[in-house]
Structure formats: C-alpha cells, structure tokens
Amino acid sequence: MTTPVQDKVEGEEPDEVNPSEHKPSKASASHDRAIDRGLIERAAKGDSRAFRELVDRHQRKAHAVAYGVVRNVDDAREVTQDAFMRVYRHLNDFEGQASFSTWLYRIVVNLSIDLIRRRSPRKHLELDDRTELDGAPHELLPYRGDRDPLVSLERGRIVESVQQCLDQLPPYHRTIIVLREVEGLSYEEIAEAMQVPKGTVMSRLFHARRKMQRLLHDLLGDEVPSPQDDRDHEGKP
Amino acid sequence: MIHPDDLTLQSWHDDELDAAQRAEVSTHVEGCEVCAAKVEGLGMVARASQRWLDAAPALPDDFTDLLMARLEREAPAPVEAAAPKPLAPVVPLRPTVKAAPSRRWVYPALAAAAAGVIAVRVALPSRPGARSLIPPAAVLVGGENAGGAKVTRVDIPGAQSFTVMQLPGVRPDSVTAVVWIQDRDELGDTQ
C-alpha cells in the first residue's frame, strides 16, 4: 500500500491539488531553514536587504494564514505587516532550533486572534469542543465515489462555499484548517504555532474537518456526496 | 475486522504515524472500503481548502516597500540581545601608535607596572606633571563605580589587557587594588 499522498497522485485531474504536495521535502526544508537563519543573522546586524529578502520569502504564507483566520483582505494585510514588524523587533530572540516559518505563524496567529477579539469582544472564542460539536457528525464522513465531486464544480463556487464554511468555524478551528490543509504544517509545527499540546491539535483538527465536511455538503448540495451514517462502523470488530 | 479509530485514520492520512503503524493502517485501508472512503473524505476537505487559498487575494506588489518604509519610521534597529555592555567608552590616554613587534616578556612586566601605578595613583593625591609609566600604546577603558568598587581596564594593543579593581581598604585612606591580567588570546576582538 502506498502512502495517502502517493495514492492521490495517480489518476489525478490536472487541476486537482494534492493536500501534501506543497509540503517541502526534509532536505528542502532543511535548506530553507539554513537560508532563513543566514538572513536572520544578517538582518539582526542591521542588514536591511537581508530582512527584505526574508519578508519576500515568507509574506505570501503569512498573509494566507492571516487571511484564513481573519477573512478580510485589509485586516489580513494589516496583521501581516504587524507580524513582520514584530519579527524585526525581536530578531535577536529567534532561536535557531525552530523554523522561522513556525515562529512567524505563531506571531500571525496571535495577532489575528487578537484582532478578532478586538472586533468582537463579546464573542467567546475558546468554546468548549462539545458545544461547538452540536449538530456535527460524530465521525469522519466517508466519500464513496469514482470521482472527486469538487473536480466537476465551478472553482468560484467551491471558493465561495469554503469561505462560507470557514466563516462558520470558530477562529481556532479556522486556524488549524489553514495551517494544516493550506500550509501543510505537521502536527508538531501546528502545536508550536498555536502553543497547544499535540493531542489538542489532533483533536481540534479532527473536529474542524468533520464540521467542514458537513458544511460543504450543506452548501454544495447533491454535488457533494451525502454524509453516510455508518452506524455499523464504531471502530469495533 | 477491527477498524482503526478515526484519529488514527486521520494521522495516517496526514502521514503522522511511525513506520510500523503506517504499514499496518495502509494494509487495512487497502482492503476496507469504509476506511478508504473516510480517508477520501478527508482529502476532499484538503482540496477544497487549497482551492480557496488559490483564489485568495494576494498582497499588493509594494507590500515589502511599504513595510520597509514603516520600519524606517518606527523601528530603526532590531532590539539588541542582552549583550555584555562595555564598562565605558574607550578613551585613549595618548595618541595610539603602532604596536611594537611582539615581545611577550616585555608586556607582562609593563602591564603589571601600569596596574601598580594606577592603584598607587588612586591611593595617593595625584601630582601635576607626574610621569606616567603606562606604555604609549596603552588604552584606558574608563572606570566606573559599582558598589563602591572602581574598575579600570587597560588594553595594550597586540599584547595584554588587565583589569584593576580598586576597593576601599581597611583604613579610611587606603585602597586595595586587585589586578586581573588577561592574555591577548583570551580577549577575542577586544581593542
């Protein structure tokens, strides 16, 4: 049996996106880290060109995470800029063992959550998982079909639907979906970026995905297969 | 058939299992339609999310320029790490001259003599016009009172450096001087 990643590469439609294909290989990640470390060292000594290069290398990802969490273009741009300002002021605090991306993501996530809190001070952001699971399925939803239903859907419609799904998720679920599904971070990296235990990452990711599955079905209707009630599948013999 | 639980399936999908677990779950998923369908359901969420990002608005082209301009205005330099601060600015006692060829036996003697002079000069009232025994190339790194102690460091470029700590002596008019001599090699880039 091949890995899930390999499974999806075969027979894939040209415009399909492999969930892990954007994840760099270990060698590439190590090389990137070395480049980042070099730039950080130079920037910390006052080399503005090095800092500019660092910004150019990471701004798209930082902005994607910010946009995924705050869901507003202007707010995302503000958060991204503030995040790099904070990075600059604390270049000397960066510990080389961690990846710069993870450090940057942590800053972006914190600033994004802060901004949402400022905008909606009355809204409780840290909901109990049990509360927000009301109405959500209790298991992963299976898809049985010969073809990915998303392939036949208009791109614009998918985008709009995903946007609506994300709008309905609490910020910490949006954050985890974006970090994992969009940025391809490992559980360990997500835990570091969100400053929660790895077990919490797994649990939140699980709940967020289930909710996304349900919301996608509700929004896209028959074109996305109906969640099936597998009462016979309880993880038991 | 025992199915893996959903969290394990999720970890398999995300390639987060160790090799042994991964092989075990792979074998199961290959032969189990139920679990294969669940894994495919996870993949669909990932692909939908990725498409959403592809359509997300990009940052403006001048984002970096605007950021760098803001940095200029608001953050002229990164916050320095807690690097040891020098005791005081370096003050040449005399115009610096090129250091003589290294004669290692000479400098320890000069350094000790200079330290002694400093200590004595602190203890005694200075006399106008008194001759200094400090070598011409020596550089005095200024003193600073810290907890009653006066610390002075003398650098002799190309040779040695010594630190003199002057502490109030037992008698009111006396001073105890402690001299700490360092070889040039120990000083790194100290000048």
Side-chain angles (χ1 to χ4, degrees):
Chain A
M1 186 78 178
T2 53
T3 65
V5 175
Q6 289 168 318
D7 282 344
K8 285 165 192 154
V9 170
E10 287 180 23
E12 218 173 38
E13 295 286 335
D15 63 341
E16 274 191 297
V17 178
N18 186 315
S20 300
E21 72 180 2
H22 53 286
K23 196 173 180 180
S25 67
K26 283 182 180 175
S28 164
S30 171
H31 179 64
D32 284 348
R33 281 187 183 199
I35 292 175
D36 285 341
R37 270 200 301 274
L39 291 172
I40 289 165
E41 281 174 17
R42 284 167 50 201
K45 290 174 183 167
D47 184 342
S48 62
R49 281 188 303 179
F51 188 70
R52 174 180 277 273
E53 194 177 333
L54 199 63
V55 173
D56 285 340
R57 281 169 61 82
H58 294 278
Q59 59 172 262
R60 191 201 67 78
K61 288 186 168 190
H63 180 249
V65 172
Y67 182 66
V69 181
V70 301
R71 293 157 301 135
N72 174 284
V73 180
D74 293 333
D75 287 346
R77 189 168 57 231
E78 181 186 325
V79 164
T80 308
Q81 196 177 81
D82 287 349
F84 279 113
M85 290 292 289
R86 190 169 289 192
V87 163
Y88 185 75
R89 290 192 175 105
H90 295 277
L91 279 171
N92 288 301
D93 296 338
F94 175 69
E95 294 169 5
Q97 301 90 331
S99 87
F100 174 73
S101 301
T102 310
W103 186 50
L104 177 62
Y105 289 147
R106 188 194 306 170
I107 294 172
V108 170
V109 167
N110 286 340
L111 289 175
S112 300
I113 299 285
D114 285 349
L115 187 133
I116 293 173
R117 283 195 173 124
R118 284 203 306 275
R119 299 276 160 85
S120 312
R122 291 182 185 175
K123 199 170 178 181
H124 292 287
L125 297 176
E126 293 300 325
L127 300 174
D128 188 315
D129 275 352
R130 284 171 301 179
T131 308
E132 66 86 23
L133 279 175
D134 287 347
H138 298 293
E139 292 185 23
L140 289 176
L141 302 178
Y143 166 60
R144 294 191 180 99
D146 297 330
R147 185 178 171 81
D148 184 348
L150 297 178
V151 171
S152 60
L153 286 180
E154 257 180 76
R155 182 174 290 265
R157 193 159 166 232
I158 297 173
V159 170
E160 188 185 332
S161 299
V162 174
Q163 180 75 50
Q164 286 180 46
C165 291
L166 289 173
D167 285 349
Q168 293 181 57
L169 294 178
Y172 62 88
H173 276 176
R174 281 204 301 276
T175 305
I176 210 159
I177 285 281
V178 170
L179 291 178
R180 174 62 217 177
E181 307 288 31
V182 177
E183 296 302 328
L185 264 60
S186 69
Y187 293 173
E188 202 76 55
E189 290 168 327
I190 296 172
E192 201 179 324
M194 295 184 74
Q195 294 173 285
V196 295
K198 191 174 164 182
T200 305
V201 169
M202 293 171 70
S203 166
R204 284 186 179 176
L205 186 57
F206 180 74
H207 296 318
R209 280 168 159 165
R210 286 192 323 188
K211 207 163 190 181
M212 277 283 283
Q213 284 182 313
R214 167 67 73 185
L215 292 168
L216 274 174
H217 172 260
D218 291 347
L219 288 166
L220 297 173
D222 293 339
E223 286 159 300
V224 169
S226 173
Q228 298 178 39
D229 188 8
D230 286 299
R231 293 186 190 286
D232 60 331
H233 182 224
E234 299 289 334
K236 295 171 186 172
Chain B
M1 177 183 286
I2 299 177
H3 299 285
D5 61 54
D6 283 350
L7 279 179
T8 303
L9 276 179
Q10 173 180 260
S11 297
W12 181 80
H13 170 269
D14 294 335
D15 203 13
E16 291 275 353
L17 296 178
D18 62 37
Q21 282 182 302
R22 188 166 61 239
E24 191 180 332
V25 176
S26 293
T27 305
H28 176 85
V29 171
E30 197 172 46
C32 175
E33 284 187 10
V34 175
C35 289
K38 285 190 172 189
V39 169
E40 184 50 32
L42 289 175
M44 203 157 60
V45 172
R47 289 191 289 279
S49 304
Q50 186 64 47
R51 287 187 187 188
W52 168 79
L53 177 73
D54 290 345
L59 282 168
D61 291 341
D62 60 354
F63 174 80
T64 308
D65 291 334
L66 294 172
L67 173 69
M68 298 306 287
R70 186 177 162 194
L71 281 174
E72 284 281 318
R73 289 194 308 273
E74 298 179 24
V79 176
E80 291 291 337
K85 293 180 180 174
L87 291 173
V90 173
V91 182
L93 290 178
R94 299 182 181 176
T96 305
V97 296
K98 193 174 178 181
S102 176
R103 280 184 282 178
R104 294 184 68 84
W105 61 272
V106 172
Y107 287 110
L110 286 172
V117 168
I118 290 171
V120 170
R121 289 183 69 180
V122 170
L124 300 173
S126 62
R127 289 179 294 128
R131 288 181 61 194
S132 172
L133 293 180
I134 298 176
V139 173
L140 173 67
V141 180
E144 178 178 301
N145 287 319
K150 187 170 184 179
V151 182
T152 307
R153 206 180 79 213
V154 174
D155 286 344
I156 303 173
Q160 290 180 316
S161 171
F162 50 93
T163 303
V164 184
M165 290 176 61
Q166 300 157 50
L167 304 164
V170 178
R171 292 190 323 200
D173 59 345
S174 68
V175 171
T176 302
V178 179
V179 181
W180 180 15
I181 300 176
Q182 288 175 283
D183 283 331
R184 196 73 203 162
D185 295 344
E186 296 172 344
L187 297 175
D189 59 357
T190 304
Q191 285 295 323

